[in-house]
Amino acid sequence: MVKHATYVQYRTMINCHLIPSLGHVFVQKLTPQHVQAFYAQKLKEGLKPRSISVIHGILHTALENAVKWSLVSRNVASLVSVPRAEVHEVHPLTSDEAHKLIEAARGHWFEPILILAVTTGMRRGELLGLRWDDVDLKRGMLHVRRTMNKYSGHDVYAGYGVVENDPKTRTSRRRILLPDVAINALKDQHVLQDAARLKAGDKWQGKNLVFADQCGDFLNPQRVVRHFQSLLGKSGLPHMRFHDLRHSAATILLTMGVHPKVVQELLGHSTIAMTMDTYSHLLPSVQRDAVDKMNEAFRFDGQSSESGEGN
């Protein structure tokens, strides 16, 4: 968890949470009870378990160094229970539902974002950090080289705003071949953005973003989520997270018989085991299809498609 946190996130967690709550306690006097009560208070204040996990990682690393330097005899952060991050139930779209959602977005500025999300499985931050330099429309591909995050919390060092990071993992930095529908969506987006640039004039930011606001600056991720939820309601589909579009891309491909290794590389998972674990619920139907194909391959002339065991 911690190794993917950004410098801004570290400073925010330290200055806004750790120092105000535990900064008055000498490290030699710090107890597991102090830390456990601190986590409980943060939960009560509404901080998410995932953020508390980041704080825990920072505190654990700091105390581990204190043990190495003989400032304390034990790492008290190892003796507490860390709140578990909530597990979201995955609600992937079927191919028909994806078509229905895209139709609901037809002609809307959100349409190309939606098409890329459901056909490439890119994360929201990867889409909003995408630049035209990363896109090769002639060859029909793009490169995922960065991700964008917006931090709502602030301190005297971090402030508000957007932070660009490297992709989540080494394998998240990847090349994606695009289907025709995505290529056409990007071509349309280029035309629309040229018109927006002319309209904005000197106010245009010139950040070369594929998906930008009316002045060429980063789109607010929450604005993307709001429009996505609005389109779900318009199309009569149940509530789901934007991230479920990533799951939808994988689900559609796997149910069409695409090899899990290809899906792993498309999504940028670090291992194929991660892909298989995430989408293990699809395996029974995929295996059934494989058995049917095997039956077809080894069916001889005159053999019935249905055969029982011999007496």
Side-chain angles (χ1 to χ4, degrees):
M1 174 67 69
V2 173
K3 70 178 182 179
H4 299 311
T6 64
Y7 174 76
V8 171
Q9 195 174 17
Y10 285 152
R11 297 304 297 260
T12 300
M13 295 302 181
I14 292 170
N15 288 284
C16 290
H17 300 292
L18 274 169
I19 291 178
S21 299
L22 297 177
H24 64 286
V25 182
F26 284 102
V27 66
Q28 294 84 358
K29 299 291 185 180
L30 190 65
T31 67
Q33 290 78 11
H34 282 125
V35 178
Q36 198 70 71
F38 165 57
Y39 292 164
Q41 180 60 34
K42 289 301 163 183
L43 272 178
K44 187 177 179 181
E45 292 173 3
L47 200 65
K48 293 182 178 179
R50 182 173 297 180
S51 296
I52 295 176
S53 294
V54 173
I55 293 173
H56 175 75
I58 297 170
L59 182 61
H60 189 280
T61 300
L63 292 175
E64 200 62 33
N65 286 331
V67 172
K68 290 179 183 178
W69 300 334
S70 299
L71 296 175
V72 294
S73 60
R74 62 177 183 170
N75 186 339
V76 298
S78 299
L79 306 175
V80 301
S81 299
V82 184
R84 290 187 177 184
E86 49 190 310
V87 178
H88 294 281
E89 185 178 352
V90 177
H91 296 288
L93 297 171
T94 64
S95 180
D96 288 342
E97 289 173 333
H99 276 284
K100 188 175 182 181
L101 187 60
I102 291 172
E103 279 301 316
R106 191 70 66 195
H108 194 280
W109 67 265
F110 190 72
E111 182 185 356
I113 297 178
L114 181 61
I115 289 175
L116 248 69
V118 82
T119 59
T120 68
M122 291 173 67
R123 300 175 178 91
R124 183 182 63 182
E126 293 171 344
L127 289 165
L128 300 187
L130 187 68
R131 284 184 161 84
W132 287 112
D133 292 341
D134 305 322
V135 179
D136 187 340
L137 290 175
K138 290 183 179 179
R139 299 174 65 188
M141 67 175 62
L142 61 79
H143 290 82
V144 178
R145 296 190 173 105
R146 67 189 65 81
T147 185
M148 184 275 274
N149 292 292
K150 183 178 178 66
Y151 290 96
S152 56
H154 76 284
D155 61 52
V156 294
Y157 300 98
Y160 290 97
V162 167
V163 176
E164 287 188 271
N165 301 314
D166 290 333
K168 187 176 180 182
T169 64
R170 180 180 58 82
T171 50
S172 293
R173 183 183 290 271
R174 61 201 186 277
R175 183 187 68 173
I176 297 177
L177 292 177
L178 300 169
D180 289 343
V181 64
I183 294 172
N184 291 333
L186 286 171
K187 288 179 178 178
D188 291 342
Q189 173 66 8
H190 207 290
V191 172
L192 290 172
Q193 198 172 85
D194 283 343
R197 184 185 299 110
L198 289 174
K199 184 176 181 180
D202 293 340
K203 295 181 180 179
W204 189 258
Q205 296 293 313
K207 294 183 178 178
N208 207 30
L209 295 166
V210 174
F211 302 115
D213 65 14
Q214 65 271 22
C215 292
D217 206 349
F218 287 103
L219 275 172
N220 188 323
Q222 292 307 312
R223 183 185 178 198
V224 171
V225 171
R226 286 195 301 271
H227 282 283
F228 175 59
Q229 296 301 330
S230 175
L231 283 171
L232 285 174
K234 181 180 177 181
S235 57
L237 294 171
H239 172 80
M240 61 187 292
R241 299 172 303 152
F242 185 88
H243 192 75
D244 285 331
L245 293 176
R246 176 172 166 83
H247 296 309
S248 300
T251 299
I252 291 169
L253 290 172
L254 289 170
T255 53
M256 290 174 63
V258 175
H259 196 284
K261 182 65 178 176
V262 176
V263 177
Q264 175 211 338
E265 292 174 352
L266 178 70
L267 298 183
H269 284 164
S270 56
T271 65
I272 194 170
M274 179 184 294
T275 308
M276 299 300 285
D277 287 345
T278 304
Y279 303 105
S280 59
H281 62 288
L282 296 176
L283 293 181
S285 61
V286 172
Q287 289 177 0
R288 180 70 262 170
D289 184 55
V291 169
D292 291 341
K293 289 179 179 178
M294 188 66 75
N295 286 335
E296 186 66 30
F298 286 93
R299 184 176 299 138
F300 301 103
D301 291 341
Q303 181 179 0
S304 171
S305 60
E306 295 182 3
S307 60
E309 294 181 345
N311 294 327

